[in-house]
Amino acid sequence: MSVRWYSTVIDCADVAAQGRWWAEALGWQIAYEAPDELALVPPHALTKGDSIPVEERSPGLVFILVPDGKQLKNRLHLDLAPRAGDDQEAEVARLEQLGAKRVDVGQGDDKTWVVLVDPEGNEFCVLSPRDT
């Protein structure tokens, strides 16, 4: 018997705002929403649904309401990658227009990725373009 990665859960103070921000950032859709929880999935999860074999289904993102705020650097973060041939800086600029901010977590200037934080301060990276 084995298990599969079903979702990544993100604690937040404003479930609706965080979920909608990430939906816009990723181009994903809301699959479930309640006052204390919101789940996002890639668009194909809603359009192709049951026709996708279970082992090929992408994990979702779930945002849950927690009373305490973020205090330290995340021990887990998301890496986002533009498609091969796309412009990393243009994607970073788009995310910044949505409300992301660049941060320095000690990565240095010579890296091929950019570290950002979402509106609630959760770190994530935008990698160099790639399709693999």
Side-chain angles (χ1 to χ4, degrees), residues 73-106:
K73 180 183 174 296
N74 293 355
R75 294 187 61 154
L76 174 77
H77 69 270
L78 302 178
D79 281 347
L80 309 179
R83 296 287 310 263
D86 286 349
D87 184 349
Q88 178 190 37
E89 276 304 313
E91 186 56 29
V92 169
R94 183 184 76 83
L95 293 166
E96 288 175 320
Q97 288 177 341
L98 292 176
K101 292 182 175 51
R102 291 179 190 238
V103 293
D104 182 353
V105 294

mmCIF file of all heavy atoms in Angstrom, residues 73-106:
data_model
loop_
_atom_site.group_PDB
_atom_site.id
_atom_site.type_symbol
_atom_site.label_atom_id
_atom_site.label_comp_id
_atom_site.label_asym_id
_atom_site.label_seq_id
_atom_site.Cartn_x
_atom_site.Cartn_y
_atom_site.Cartn_z
ATOM 1 N N LYS A 73 10.865 32.280 9.188
ATOM 2 C CA LYS A 73 10.962 31.823 7.808
ATOM 3 C C LYS A 73 10.326 30.442 7.696
ATOM 4 O O LYS A 73 10.495 29.594 8.557
ATOM 5 C CB LYS A 73 12.438 31.753 7.396
ATOM 6 C CG LYS A 73 12.667 31.287 5.980
ATOM 7 C CD LYS A 73 14.171 31.189 5.699
ATOM 8 C CE LYS A 73 14.446 30.588 4.363
ATOM 9 N NZ LYS A 73 14.022 29.203 4.208
ATOM 10 N N ASN A 74 9.582 30.234 6.613
ATOM 11 C CA ASN A 74 8.959 28.922 6.388
ATOM 12 C C ASN A 74 10.021 27.839 6.254
ATOM 13 O O ASN A 74 11.073 28.077 5.662
ATOM 14 C CB ASN A 74 8.131 28.937 5.101
ATOM 15 C CG ASN A 74 6.934 29.836 5.179
ATOM 16 O OD1 ASN A 74 6.622 30.410 6.208
ATOM 17 N ND2 ASN A 74 6.255 29.973 4.061
ATOM 18 N N ARG A 75 9.733 26.669 6.743
ATOM 19 C CA ARG A 75 10.627 25.532 6.551
ATOM 20 C C ARG A 75 10.302 24.790 5.268
ATOM 21 O O ARG A 75 11.021 23.902 4.856
ATOM 22 C CB ARG A 75 10.548 24.600 7.753
ATOM 23 C CG ARG A 75 11.097 25.300 9.009
ATOM 24 C CD ARG A 75 11.173 24.365 10.138
ATOM 25 N NE ARG A 75 12.085 23.276 9.801
ATOM 26 C CZ ARG A 75 12.745 22.571 10.679
ATOM 27 N NH1 ARG A 75 12.617 22.832 11.944
ATOM 28 N NH2 ARG A 75 13.522 21.590 10.306
ATOM 29 N N LEU A 76 9.190 25.135 4.664
ATOM 30 C CA LEU A 76 8.757 24.555 3.402
ATOM 31 C C LEU A 76 8.268 25.710 2.544
ATOM 32 O O LEU A 76 7.601 26.612 3.043
ATOM 33 C CB LEU A 76 7.611 23.562 3.646
ATOM 34 C CG LEU A 76 6.934 22.970 2.426
ATOM 35 C CD1 LEU A 76 7.811 21.883 1.818
ATOM 36 C CD2 LEU A 76 5.586 22.392 2.808
ATOM 37 N N HIS A 77 8.619 25.717 1.262
ATOM 38 C CA HIS A 77 8.115 26.766 0.380
ATOM 39 C C HIS A 77 7.841 26.190 -1.001
ATOM 40 O O HIS A 77 8.292 25.095 -1.326
ATOM 41 C CB HIS A 77 9.096 27.945 0.299
ATOM 42 C CG HIS A 77 10.369 27.623 -0.413
ATOM 43 N ND1 HIS A 77 11.481 27.140 0.248
ATOM 44 C CD2 HIS A 77 10.717 27.682 -1.726
ATOM 45 C CE1 HIS A 77 12.451 26.937 -0.640
ATOM 46 N NE2 HIS A 77 12.006 27.248 -1.853
ATOM 47 N N LEU A 78 7.095 26.927 -1.801
ATOM 48 C CA LEU A 78 6.780 26.516 -3.164
ATOM 49 C C LEU A 78 7.801 27.102 -4.122
ATOM 50 O O LEU A 78 8.210 28.247 -3.972
ATOM 51 C CB LEU A 78 5.379 26.998 -3.552
ATOM 52 C CG LEU A 78 4.228 26.520 -2.667
ATOM 53 C CD1 LEU A 78 2.920 27.123 -3.154
ATOM 54 C CD2 LEU A 78 4.152 25.013 -2.636
ATOM 55 N N ASP A 79 8.201 26.319 -5.107
ATOM 56 C CA ASP A 79 9.033 26.788 -6.212
ATOM 57 C C ASP A 79 8.147 26.846 -7.450
ATOM 58 O O ASP A 79 7.552 25.835 -7.842
ATOM 59 C CB ASP A 79 10.195 25.828 -6.485
ATOM 60 C CG ASP A 79 11.346 25.995 -5.515
ATOM 61 O OD1 ASP A 79 11.384 26.999 -4.783
ATOM 62 O OD2 ASP A 79 12.222 25.110 -5.497
ATOM 63 N N LEU A 80 8.052 28.011 -8.043
ATOM 64 C CA LEU A 80 7.284 28.203 -9.270
ATOM 65 C C LEU A 80 8.262 28.372 -10.418
ATOM 66 O O LEU A 80 9.320 28.978 -10.245
ATOM 67 C CB LEU A 80 6.399 29.441 -9.155
ATOM 68 C CG LEU A 80 5.515 29.548 -7.907
ATOM 69 C CD1 LEU A 80 4.717 30.834 -7.939
ATOM 70 C CD2 LEU A 80 4.615 28.338 -7.778
ATOM 71 N N ALA A 81 7.921 27.877 -11.583
ATOM 72 C CA ALA A 81 8.814 27.986 -12.735
ATOM 73 C C ALA A 81 8.043 28.435 -13.972
ATOM 74 O O ALA A 81 7.047 27.797 -14.333
ATOM 75 C CB ALA A 81 9.503 26.649 -13.024
ATOM 76 N N PRO A 82 8.497 29.505 -14.615
ATOM 77 C CA PRO A 82 7.926 29.856 -15.911
ATOM 78 C C PRO A 82 8.241 28.751 -16.918
ATOM 79 O O PRO A 82 9.193 27.983 -16.735
ATOM 80 C CB PRO A 82 8.653 31.148 -16.301
ATOM 81 C CG PRO A 82 9.329 31.624 -15.063
ATOM 82 C CD PRO A 82 9.541 30.423 -14.201
ATOM 83 N N ARG A 83 7.436 28.653 -17.964
ATOM 84 C CA ARG A 83 7.688 27.670 -19.021
ATOM 85 C C ARG A 83 8.991 28.020 -19.735
ATOM 86 O O ARG A 83 9.414 29.176 -19.774
ATOM 87 C CB ARG A 83 6.546 27.665 -20.045
ATOM 88 C CG ARG A 83 5.184 27.243 -19.525
ATOM 89 C CD ARG A 83 5.054 25.764 -19.256
ATOM 90 N NE ARG A 83 5.489 24.921 -20.338
ATOM 91 C CZ ARG A 83 4.710 24.372 -21.264
ATOM 92 N NH1 ARG A 83 3.419 24.597 -21.245
ATOM 93 N NH2 ARG A 83 5.220 23.585 -22.184
ATOM 94 N N ALA A 84 9.621 27.008 -20.319
ATOM 95 C CA ALA A 84 10.840 27.231 -21.115
ATOM 96 C C ALA A 84 10.526 28.271 -22.183
ATOM 97 O O ALA A 84 9.478 28.217 -22.822
ATOM 98 C CB ALA A 84 11.312 25.928 -21.741
ATOM 99 N N GLY A 85 11.398 29.232 -22.336
ATOM 100 C CA GLY A 85 11.203 30.291 -23.321
ATOM 101 C C GLY A 85 10.453 31.497 -22.781
ATOM 102 O O GLY A 85 10.415 32.535 -23.437
ATOM 103 N N ASP A 86 9.846 31.375 -21.593
ATOM 104 C CA ASP A 86 9.160 32.521 -20.996
ATOM 105 C C ASP A 86 10.164 33.377 -20.225
ATOM 106 O O ASP A 86 11.300 32.965 -19.976
ATOM 107 C CB ASP A 86 8.032 32.063 -20.083
ATOM 108 C CG ASP A 86 6.828 31.545 -20.846
ATOM 109 O OD1 ASP A 86 6.760 31.721 -22.073
ATOM 110 O OD2 ASP A 86 5.941 30.943 -20.203
ATOM 111 N N ASP A 87 9.742 34.545 -19.832
ATOM 112 C CA ASP A 87 10.608 35.536 -19.189
ATOM 113 C C ASP A 87 10.417 35.518 -17.670
ATOM 114 O O ASP A 87 9.350 35.884 -17.174
ATOM 115 C CB ASP A 87 10.272 36.910 -19.770
ATOM 116 C CG ASP A 87 11.155 38.030 -19.261
ATOM 117 O OD1 ASP A 87 11.916 37.829 -18.291
ATOM 118 O OD2 ASP A 87 11.078 39.125 -19.838
ATOM 119 N N GLN A 88 11.448 35.096 -16.958
ATOM 120 C CA GLN A 88 11.379 35.029 -15.494
ATOM 121 C C GLN A 88 11.091 36.403 -14.890
ATOM 122 O O GLN A 88 10.249 36.538 -14.010
ATOM 123 C CB GLN A 88 12.692 34.476 -14.935
ATOM 124 C CG GLN A 88 12.731 34.425 -13.413
ATOM 125 C CD GLN A 88 14.106 34.116 -12.866
ATOM 126 O OE1 GLN A 88 15.104 34.576 -13.416
ATOM 127 N NE2 GLN A 88 14.165 33.334 -11.817
ATOM 128 N N GLU A 89 11.782 37.424 -15.347
ATOM 129 C CA GLU A 89 11.588 38.768 -14.776
ATOM 130 C C GLU A 89 10.182 39.284 -15.026
ATOM 131 O O GLU A 89 9.606 39.952 -14.176
ATOM 132 C CB GLU A 89 12.635 39.753 -15.299
ATOM 133 C CG GLU A 89 13.945 39.695 -14.534
ATOM 134 C CD GLU A 89 13.766 39.919 -13.021
ATOM 135 O OE1 GLU A 89 13.069 40.865 -12.601
ATOM 136 O OE2 GLU A 89 14.330 39.127 -12.240
ATOM 137 N N ALA A 90 9.619 38.974 -16.196
ATOM 138 C CA ALA A 90 8.242 39.395 -16.473
ATOM 139 C C ALA A 90 7.276 38.695 -15.520
ATOM 140 O O ALA A 90 6.303 39.300 -15.048
ATOM 141 C CB ALA A 90 7.881 39.102 -17.928
ATOM 142 N N GLU A 91 7.532 37.428 -15.226
ATOM 143 C CA GLU A 91 6.674 36.695 -14.294
ATOM 144 C C GLU A 91 6.819 37.245 -12.880
ATOM 145 O O GLU A 91 5.833 37.403 -12.161
ATOM 146 C CB GLU A 91 6.984 35.204 -14.324
ATOM 147 C CG GLU A 91 6.053 34.370 -13.499
ATOM 148 C CD GLU A 91 4.576 34.528 -13.862
ATOM 149 O OE1 GLU A 91 4.238 34.819 -15.022
ATOM 150 O OE2 GLU A 91 3.741 34.353 -12.948
ATOM 151 N N VAL A 92 8.049 37.564 -12.473
ATOM 152 C CA VAL A 92 8.266 38.168 -11.155
ATOM 153 C C VAL A 92 7.532 39.510 -11.080
ATOM 154 O O VAL A 92 6.846 39.800 -10.090
ATOM 155 C CB VAL A 92 9.772 38.328 -10.863
ATOM 156 C CG1 VAL A 92 9.999 39.202 -9.637
ATOM 157 C CG2 VAL A 92 10.426 36.959 -10.673
ATOM 158 N N ALA A 93 7.619 40.308 -12.130
ATOM 159 C CA ALA A 93 6.930 41.602 -12.164
ATOM 160 C C ALA A 93 5.414 41.416 -12.065
ATOM 161 O O ALA A 93 4.731 42.168 -11.356
ATOM 162 C CB ALA A 93 7.296 42.363 -13.433
ATOM 163 N N ARG A 94 4.871 40.410 -12.750
ATOM 164 C CA ARG A 94 3.431 40.137 -12.677
ATOM 165 C C ARG A 94 3.025 39.788 -11.246
ATOM 166 O O ARG A 94 2.028 40.292 -10.719
ATOM 167 C CB ARG A 94 3.063 38.985 -13.612
ATOM 168 C CG ARG A 94 1.559 38.679 -13.643
ATOM 169 C CD ARG A 94 1.256 37.464 -14.501
ATOM 170 N NE ARG A 94 1.608 36.215 -13.845
ATOM 171 C CZ ARG A 94 0.835 35.583 -12.971
ATOM 172 N NH1 ARG A 94 -0.352 36.076 -12.629
ATOM 173 N NH2 ARG A 94 1.219 34.437 -12.429
ATOM 174 N N LEU A 95 3.816 38.939 -10.588
ATOM 175 C CA LEU A 95 3.519 38.554 -9.206
ATOM 176 C C LEU A 95 3.643 39.748 -8.259
ATOM 177 O O LEU A 95 2.843 39.896 -7.333
ATOM 178 C CB LEU A 95 4.421 37.401 -8.777
ATOM 179 C CG LEU A 95 4.144 36.083 -9.519
ATOM 180 C CD1 LEU A 95 5.279 35.100 -9.301
ATOM 181 C CD2 LEU A 95 2.813 35.493 -9.101
ATOM 182 N N GLU A 96 4.622 40.612 -8.518
ATOM 183 C CA GLU A 96 4.761 41.826 -7.703
ATOM 184 C C GLU A 96 3.555 42.745 -7.893
ATOM 185 O O GLU A 96 3.076 43.349 -6.931
ATOM 186 C CB GLU A 96 6.051 42.558 -8.047
ATOM 187 C CG GLU A 96 7.288 41.842 -7.543
ATOM 188 C CD GLU A 96 8.585 42.495 -7.969
ATOM 189 O OE1 GLU A 96 8.700 42.956 -9.126
ATOM 190 O OE2 GLU A 96 9.508 42.531 -7.124
ATOM 191 N N GLN A 97 3.037 42.824 -9.098
ATOM 192 C CA GLN A 97 1.836 43.634 -9.340
ATOM 193 C C GLN A 97 0.631 43.085 -8.592
ATOM 194 O O GLN A 97 -0.260 43.833 -8.207
ATOM 195 C CB GLN A 97 1.542 43.721 -10.835
ATOM 196 C CG GLN A 97 2.508 44.595 -11.580
ATOM 197 C CD GLN A 97 2.250 44.610 -13.083
ATOM 198 O OE1 GLN A 97 1.596 43.735 -13.623
ATOM 199 N NE2 GLN A 97 2.794 45.620 -13.746
ATOM 200 N N LEU A 98 0.614 41.763 -8.379
ATOM 201 C CA LEU A 98 -0.463 41.150 -7.606
ATOM 202 C C LEU A 98 -0.293 41.366 -6.098
ATOM 203 O O LEU A 98 -1.217 41.115 -5.335
ATOM 204 C CB LEU A 98 -0.527 39.642 -7.879
ATOM 205 C CG LEU A 98 -0.957 39.210 -9.265
ATOM 206 C CD1 LEU A 98 -0.864 37.690 -9.405
ATOM 207 C CD2 LEU A 98 -2.373 39.686 -9.564
ATOM 208 N N GLY A 99 0.905 41.789 -5.673
ATOM 209 C CA GLY A 99 1.133 42.037 -4.256
ATOM 210 C C GLY A 99 2.301 41.297 -3.637
ATOM 211 O O GLY A 99 2.571 41.454 -2.450
ATOM 212 N N ALA A 100 3.002 40.476 -4.414
ATOM 213 C CA ALA A 100 4.196 39.799 -3.885
ATOM 214 C C ALA A 100 5.311 40.818 -3.687
ATOM 215 O O ALA A 100 5.331 41.866 -4.346
ATOM 216 C CB ALA A 100 4.652 38.703 -4.842
ATOM 217 N N LYS A 101 6.228 40.504 -2.798
ATOM 218 C CA LYS A 101 7.386 41.372 -2.549
ATOM 219 C C LYS A 101 8.654 40.535 -2.563
ATOM 220 O O LYS A 101 8.659 39.406 -2.085
ATOM 221 C CB LYS A 101 7.243 42.065 -1.194
ATOM 222 C CG LYS A 101 6.109 43.070 -1.154
ATOM 223 C CD LYS A 101 6.065 43.755 0.202
ATOM 224 C CE LYS A 101 5.049 44.851 0.278
ATOM 225 N NZ LYS A 101 3.734 44.578 -0.137
ATOM 226 N N ARG A 102 9.726 41.112 -3.106
ATOM 227 C CA ARG A 102 11.031 40.446 -3.073
ATOM 228 C C ARG A 102 11.577 40.485 -1.656
ATOM 229 O O ARG A 102 11.402 41.472 -0.951
ATOM 230 C CB ARG A 102 12.019 41.148 -4.005
ATOM 231 C CG ARG A 102 11.688 40.989 -5.458
ATOM 232 C CD ARG A 102 12.711 41.745 -6.309
ATOM 233 N NE ARG A 102 12.264 41.800 -7.682
ATOM 234 C CZ ARG A 102 12.957 41.317 -8.709
ATOM 235 N NH1 ARG A 102 14.130 40.760 -8.509
ATOM 236 N NH2 ARG A 102 12.475 41.408 -9.927
ATOM 237 N N VAL A 103 12.236 39.404 -1.257
ATOM 238 C CA VAL A 103 12.865 39.355 0.067
ATOM 239 C C VAL A 103 14.241 38.715 -0.042
ATOM 240 O O VAL A 103 14.509 37.938 -0.951
ATOM 241 C CB VAL A 103 12.020 38.572 1.102
ATOM 242 C CG1 VAL A 103 10.734 39.296 1.410
ATOM 243 C CG2 VAL A 103 11.756 37.165 0.667
ATOM 244 N N ASP A 104 15.060 39.065 0.907
ATOM 245 C CA ASP A 104 16.395 38.477 1.000
ATOM 246 C C ASP A 104 16.388 37.509 2.173
ATOM 247 O O ASP A 104 16.208 37.912 3.320
ATOM 248 C CB ASP A 104 17.429 39.580 1.217
ATOM 249 C CG ASP A 104 18.848 39.056 1.282
ATOM 250 O OD1 ASP A 104 19.055 37.820 1.296
ATOM 251 O OD2 ASP A 104 19.772 39.889 1.334
ATOM 252 N N VAL A 105 16.572 36.233 1.868
ATOM 253 C CA VAL A 105 16.662 35.217 2.913
ATOM 254 C C VAL A 105 18.085 34.657 2.965
ATOM 255 O O VAL A 105 18.308 33.549 3.434
ATOM 256 C CB VAL A 105 15.621 34.083 2.717
ATOM 257 C CG1 VAL A 105 14.199 34.606 2.883
ATOM 258 C CG2 VAL A 105 15.793 33.400 1.379
ATOM 259 N N GLY A 106 19.020 35.433 2.418
ATOM 260 C CA GLY A 106 20.404 35.006 2.388
ATOM 261 C C GLY A 106 20.802 34.317 1.106
ATOM 262 O O GLY A 106 21.866 33.695 1.033
#
